Amino acid sequence: MAAASGFAFGFLEPGALQPAQNVTPNQTVTTRNEVRVLPPIIANLANGSDLSVRLEAAVVLKPDVADAAEICAKISDDLVTFLKTVSIREIEGPTGFQLLKNDLRTRASRVGNGATLDLLILTFVVQ
């Protein structure tokens, strides 16, 4: 009962139901991020292993990035270079893949120089 009365009191507070001054009704403000799918990345794992990795990923970029294709190419090259240094032991275990995802996201944002918002892993296969 106290929660319901507190909820109702919040709506009855003066000015709580009035629209904001700078927004007109039916006005929508949207900014759409750009999602670019990277070409599939295939790399051999480190330590002389016979295993290889196939990674399909997408990069989420800020809207209206002028050199998006160049940024995606640099990110793809950097991910290939990084995956060649990863061993199978680093990927195994309950937290191995999560740590790898964090490393890949960090590298993508560093290469993107602030234009990269996220790295989405679509498929990750070790064979």
Side-chain angles (χ1 to χ4, degrees):
M1 181 175 234
S5 62
F7 180 75
F9 180 72
F11 278 110
L12 295 177
E13 184 177 321
L17 296 178
Q18 296 181 7
Q21 300 296 330
N22 296 335
V23 179
T24 60
N26 299 326
Q27 178 185 5
T28 57
V29 179
T30 58
T31 57
R32 295 186 184 229
N33 297 328
E34 184 176 351
V35 178
R36 295 261 181 136
V37 177
L38 299 176
I41 296 170
I42 300 173
N44 293 329
L45 293 177
N47 297 338
S49 173
D50 292 337
L51 298 174
S52 63
V53 172
R54 178 183 170 94
L55 171 69
E56 293 180 11
V59 178
V60 181
L61 300 170
K62 290 182 179 179
D64 302 328
V65 174
D67 52 350
E70 182 179 335
I71 291 173
C72 289
K74 286 181 181 180
I75 290 173
S76 184
D77 289 343
D78 188 64
L79 294 182
V80 168
T81 303
F82 175 71
L83 286 172
K84 288 181 179 181
T85 66
V86 175
S87 69
I88 190 66
R89 292 189 167 255
E90 295 171 357
I91 302 171
E92 290 177 335
T95 59
F97 185 68
Q98 184 64 39
L99 293 173
L100 178 68
K101 282 187 352 181
N102 291 341
D103 288 341
L104 294 174
R105 283 185 175 140
T106 301
R107 295 183 74 86
S109 84
R110 189 175 305 140
V111 171
N113 291 330
T116 306
L117 298 175
D118 199 4
L119 178 76
L120 307 172
I121 296 178
L122 305 175
T123 59
F124 187 82
V125 179
V126 177
Q127 48 186 342

